[in-house]
Amino acid sequence: QVQLVESGGGLVQPGGSLRLSCSGSGNIFSINSMGWYRQAPGKERELVASITVDGDTNYAEYVKGRFTISKDNAKNTAYLQMNSLKPEDTAVYYCYANIRVRGYFYYDKYWGQGTQVTVSS
């Protein structure tokens, strides 16, 4: 049994900041990457940022220079620091993790429950 729990969403004014967290728990042997997707109403889900176990990061063009992803491997937790938020960043943010469960030899993608981020004045 594996669970990903997200926290940190909310309402913020344009130009403000939020920090999302995503923590994995349960029968985890290892995690090789974590990240976030987002989905706005009427739009497809899109990748926002990802980070590997070695710390390699990848960002969507529209968040480069504003968002920073980081992780704590010992806590199976990733963080997304979002600065200079814009109304177009409004979406439900879903974290994911590629997890190898104890007793298995492959990685599966697991999803968090999603957290709403609303940027509005």
Side-chain angles (χ1 to χ4, degrees):
Q1 195 90 2
V2 170
Q3 221 178 3
L4 283 181
V5 177
E6 299 184 61
S7 61
L11 172 64
V12 64
Q13 291 187 342
S17 298
L18 284 174
R19 188 191 195 210
L20 305 183
S21 298
C22 176
S23 294
S25 63
N27 204 19
I28 297 172
F29 180 78
S30 65
I31 299 176
N32 67 6
S33 65
M34 299 181 77
W36 272 268
Y37 282 74
R38 72 185 187 187
Q39 187 166 22
K43 295 188 177 181
E44 293 186 355
R45 191 174 294 193
E46 56 187 9
L47 179 67
V48 177
S50 64
I51 186 166
T52 70
V53 65
D54 297 324
D56 295 327
T57 58
N58 180 51
Y59 295 95
E61 280 299 322
Y62 46 81
V63 304
K64 283 183 179 179
R66 300 189 296 125
F67 291 12
T68 302
I69 190 169
S70 61
K71 61 179 177 56
D72 184 333
N73 289 335
K75 295 181 179 180
N76 290 330
T77 298
Y79 306 95
L80 185 67
Q81 179 67 43
M82 305 186 294
N83 298 328
S84 302
L85 282 161
K86 306 175 181 179
E88 50 264 43
D89 293 318
T90 296
V92 178
Y93 284 69
Y94 297 92
C95 79
Y96 76 90
N98 289 316
I99 296 173
R100 179 180 165 186
V101 175
R102 294 183 191 280
Y104 292 82
F105 300 96
Y106 53 85
Y107 287 85
D108 265 339
K109 180 172 279 185
Y110 290 81
W111 294 93
Q113 79 277 16
T115 187
Q116 177 70 45
V117 171
T118 302
V119 184
S120 175
S121 55

